[in-house]
């Protein structure tokens, strides 16, 4: 493949830089009109030249392309990315209400870059430096905003830090702490974390078999924060215990409010918690308080977490199982459990990760993997849940494979407790039954 000549490269960067400055100018103007702010990140791939030399131009370019795709996938659509130099990108951040939103954006970029890049037979790990600037310091000058981001980038590079934020007041650079944790603590106190419920339905009859409890955080200061981000932050900071306690309480409370319409409730159990000594006592107490039968609770535990401490996990799972709590292995397929180990686990179902499900209509090997998981699960008498079912073709294929339970936008998105209640009481269901559905029949679970 022909590579860009130095001249062509220069021209490309020049054009992108011009487009960036134009967008920044418009952002700054808009921000000053509506009293909001905006931000800018300059991201530099560390040792880009060394990567270029070691792997060649084509591979280095593939890495950058994938990096851009990954970042674009996690940023809001209105934020744009520009390729402004060799291994250098600029990312515009519109509608910044508090400076910490810049930290959140930086965190997203760093997370998107975490996994290695597999290009051909190479497994490439990329490290970044990021410099950030903020409109409050720059008046209406887009050039100044870019300079300040570069200045912060230089500082991050000099101090060997992943990122730095330019702040005029201190006449220098400040390292923003990732203060999500502080916000999260306050959010728990202020009851800002809300639980939503996504139906799990029977593939054959379309009827409800349970709901998965998922958390939502719409912070007044930060806006909507994705669950992946705050769950990750709470796992790292140790707040996950409080977060999970909150989720279990909230799900149990809603279960009791739904009365006769309450289905089995599944709650996600995060990394590390499975080996927590007080976990079981806490669950039992909460269920008793809200009069939720233990058989109505499912705990979803990821395959990777179970594999981290197999012995301790096994003990806890056995105890939970003795109490009648259902256990589900989440994100199945993304870890590497051995068959012999799986056989010993007292679990009831496997949930196949949506990354496999979403390609089965187009990708033969994903289809084969899913079919193999379904067959394997059945040999161990486990039920299979497919998550991320978005279209009818996928639904049909999974049903033919013998998958029992469906979860996905095709049936329903996660809903607030009230919306779920109306969905449920209207008897809505996904009408692809082999057996006719009797609308006058009871709505009780299968
Ligand atoms: P997960 O446990 O694998 O949850 C399933 C995710 O898939 C949910 O995303 C759900 O909204 C999404 N999903 C369901 N159907 C579809 C579909 O048809 N298409 C697509 N594209 N997505 C679908 P969500 O709510 O953003 O949660 C993401 C992850 O955050 C969860 O993945 C889970 O790992 C974590 N999480 C969310 N709530 C909690 C919680 O209360 N506790 C813990 N520990 N983790 C949670
Ligand atoms: Ca889950
Ligand atoms: Ca998943």
């Amino acid at each position: 493949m022909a590579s860009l000549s130095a001249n062509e490269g220069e021209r490309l960067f020049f054009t992108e830089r011009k487009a960036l400055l134009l967008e920044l100018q418009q952002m700054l103007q808009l921000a000053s009109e509506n009293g909001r702010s905006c931000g800018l990140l300059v991201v530099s791939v560390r040792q880009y030249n060394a990567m270029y030399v070691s792997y060649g131009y084509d591979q280095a370019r593939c890495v950058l392309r994938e990096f851009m795709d990954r970042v674009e996938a996690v940023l809001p659509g209105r934020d744009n990315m520009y390729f402004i130099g060799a291994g250098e990108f600029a990312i515009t951040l519109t509608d910044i209400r508090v400076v910490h939103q810049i930290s959140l954006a930086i965190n997203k970029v760093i997370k998107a870059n975490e996994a290695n890049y597999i290009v051909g037979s190479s497994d490439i790990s990329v490290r970044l430096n990021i410099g950030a600037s903020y409109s409050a310091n720059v008046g209406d000058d887009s050039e100044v905003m870019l300079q300040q981001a570069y200045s912060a980038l230089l500082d991050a590079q000099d101090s060997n830090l992943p990122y730095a934020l330019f702040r005029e007041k201190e006449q220098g650079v400040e390292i923003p702490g990732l203060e999500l944790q502080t916000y999260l603590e306050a959010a728990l106190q202020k009851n800002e974390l809300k639980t939503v419920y996504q139906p799990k339905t029977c593939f054959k009859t379309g009827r409800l078999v349970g709901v998965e409890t998922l958390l939502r955080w719409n912070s007044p200061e930060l806006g909507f924060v994705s669950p992946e981000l705050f769950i990750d932050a709470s796992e790292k900071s140790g707040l996950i215990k409080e977060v999970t306690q909150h989720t279990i309480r909230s799900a149990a409370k809603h279960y009791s409010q739904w009365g006769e319409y309450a289905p089995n409730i599944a709650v996600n159990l995060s990394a590390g918690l499975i080996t927590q000594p007080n976990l079981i006592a806490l669950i039992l107490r909460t269920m008793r308080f809200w009069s939720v039968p233990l058989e109505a609770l499912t705990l979803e535990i990821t395959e990777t977490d179970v594999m981290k401490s197999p012995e301790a996990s096994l003990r806890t799972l056995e105890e939970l199982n003795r109490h009648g709590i259902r256990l589900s292995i989440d994100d199945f397929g993304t870890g590497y459990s051995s068959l012999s180990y799986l056989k010993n686990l007292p679990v009831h179902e496997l949930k196949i990760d949506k990354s496999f499900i979403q390609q089965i209509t187009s990708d033969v090997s994903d289809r084969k993997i899913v079919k193999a998981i379904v067959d394997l699960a059945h040999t161990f008498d486990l039920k299979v849940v497919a998550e991320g079912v978005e279209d009818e073709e996928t639904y049909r294929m999974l049903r033919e494979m013998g998958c029992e339970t469906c979860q996905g936008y095709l049936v329903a998105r996660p809903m607030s407790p009230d919306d779920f209640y109306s969905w449920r009481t209207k008897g809505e269901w996904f009408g692809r039954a082999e057996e006719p559905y009797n609308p006058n029949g009871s709505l009780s679970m299968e």
Side-chain angles (χ1 to χ4, degrees), residues 47-96:
Q47 300 189 309
Y48 173 75
N49 290 334
M51 180 164 88
Y52 183 107
V53 173
S54 316
Y55 299 102
Y57 171 79
D58 285 344
Q59 294 209 355
R61 208 184 57 156
C62 282
V63 170
L64 293 190
R65 182 71 259 165
E66 188 180 332
F67 168 70
M68 285 182 88
D69 288 346
R70 288 189 197 174
V71 171
E72 270 164 6
V74 294
L75 286 177
R78 55 177 194 269
D79 293 346
N80 289 316
M81 205 167 173
Y82 297 86
F83 193 23
I84 52 170
E88 275 179 15
F89 302 90
I91 300 170
T92 56
L93 307 172
T94 40
D95 198 15
I96 296 287

Side-chain angles (χ1 to χ4, degrees), residues 2-141:
S3 59
L4 283 180
S5 70
N7 234 340
E8 283 167 328
E10 280 301 313
R11 261 211 313 275
L12 169 74
F13 300 146
F14 181 71
T15 322
E16 289 261 301
R17 194 171 175 280
K18 242 171 87 177
L20 166 68
L21 286 171
L22 198 67
E23 195 202 330
L24 280 180
Q25 203 65 56
Q26 288 162 351
M27 273 168 54
L28 286 169
Q29 190 169 349
L30 211 71
S32 82
E33 279 167 16
N34 61 19
R36 293 266 167 90
S37 303
C38 55
L40 174 69
L41 307 184
V42 174
V43 181
S44 166
V45 171
R46 252 193 251 186
Q47 300 189 309
Y48 173 75
N49 290 334
M51 180 164 88
Y52 183 107
V53 173
S54 316
Y55 299 102
Y57 171 79
D58 285 344
Q59 294 209 355
R61 208 184 57 156
C62 282
V63 170
L64 293 190
R65 182 71 259 165
E66 188 180 332
F67 168 70
M68 285 182 88
D69 288 346
R70 288 189 197 174
V71 171
E72 270 164 6
V74 294
L75 286 177
R78 55 177 194 269
D79 293 346
N80 289 316
M81 205 167 173
Y82 297 86
F83 193 23
I84 52 170
E88 275 179 15
F89 302 90
I91 300 170
T92 56
L93 307 172
T94 40
D95 198 15
I96 296 287
R97 271 159 285 173
V98 289
V99 74
H100 301 100
Q101 275 175 283
I102 296 182
S103 308
L104 286 179
I106 293 174
N107 205 9
K108 280 188 187 169
V109 175
I110 292 176
K111 244 193 117 201
N113 179 58
E114 243 167 34
N116 282 7
Y117 296 80
I118 313 290
V119 184
S121 54
S122 314
D123 187 343
I124 305 172
S125 130
V126 169
R127 297 178 69 198
L128 305 174
N129 289 115
I130 303 176
S133 58
Y134 183 46
S135 61
N137 301 322
V138 300
D140 59 358
D141 196 334

Side-chain angles (χ1 to χ4, degrees), residues 212 214 268 300 330 351 387:
E212 177 175 6
L214 294 158
N268 289 288
E300 297 189 5
D330 205 359
K351 279 189 96 166
E387 85 179 8

Side-chain angles (χ1 to χ4, degrees), residues 219-400:
S219 151
E221 292 93 6
L222 306 171
F224 182 81
V225 186
S226 88
E228 263 118 356
L229 194 69
F230 70 79
I231 293 291
D232 181 64
S234 63
E235 281 170 0
K236 289 193 174 125
S237 63
L239 272 176
I240 188 64
K241 209 172 142 201
E242 281 74 32
V243 170
T244 307
Q245 217 164 330
H246 169 82
T247 311
I248 294 179
R249 268 198 214 115
S250 174
K253 183 179 94 184
H254 292 135
Y255 178 98
S256 72
Q257 288 172 349
W258 290 327
E260 61 173 311
Y261 292 108
N264 181 284
I265 43 173
V267 172
N268 289 288
L269 211 56
S270 248
L273 285 189
I274 187 166
T275 48
Q276 278 270 335
N278 301 331
L279 172 80
I280 297 181
L282 173 96
I283 294 174
L284 298 182
R285 214 177 322 123
T286 311
M287 297 296 122
R288 204 174 314 122
F289 183 84
W290 292 103
S291 312
V292 182
L294 292 173
E295 301 72 44
L297 176 68
T298 299
L299 294 175
E300 297 189 5
I301 302 145
T302 68
E303 186 190 5
T304 348
D305 282 346
V306 173
M307 295 314 288
K308 267 186 212 146
S309 43
E311 291 294 312
S313 302
L314 182 62
R315 275 198 302 279
T316 316
L317 295 183
E318 275 171 345
E319 188 170 353
L320 289 166
N321 184 46
R322 271 198 297 281
H323 286 289
I325 294 170
R326 286 178 63 85
L327 298 165
S328 173
I329 300 286
D330 205 359
D331 291 351
F332 192 79
T334 57
Y336 300 94
S337 3
S338 70
L339 298 187
S340 55
Y341 183 68
L342 189 68
K343 189 177 74 197
N344 297 326
L345 289 179
V347 295
H348 302 84
E349 64 178 32
L350 296 187
K351 279 189 96 166
I352 309 181
D353 192 50
K354 62 175 176 287
S355 57
F356 292 104
I357 301 298
Q358 292 183 326
Q359 314 290 335
I360 58 166
T361 53
S362 57
D363 187 324
V364 185
S365 39
D366 275 5
R367 201 177 324 157
K368 284 186 181 156
I369 293 174
V370 171
K371 175 77 175 108
I373 296 178
V374 174
D375 292 343
L376 165 75
H378 288 165
T379 29
F380 294 133
D381 289 327
L382 298 173
K383 296 250 185 332
V384 185
V385 187
E387 85 179 8
V389 180
E390 291 185 357
D391 58 81
E392 307 215 0
E393 177 68 0
T394 308
Y395 190 98
R396 197 185 50 73
M397 267 186 191
L398 290 163
R399 193 177 65 181
E400 273 164 23

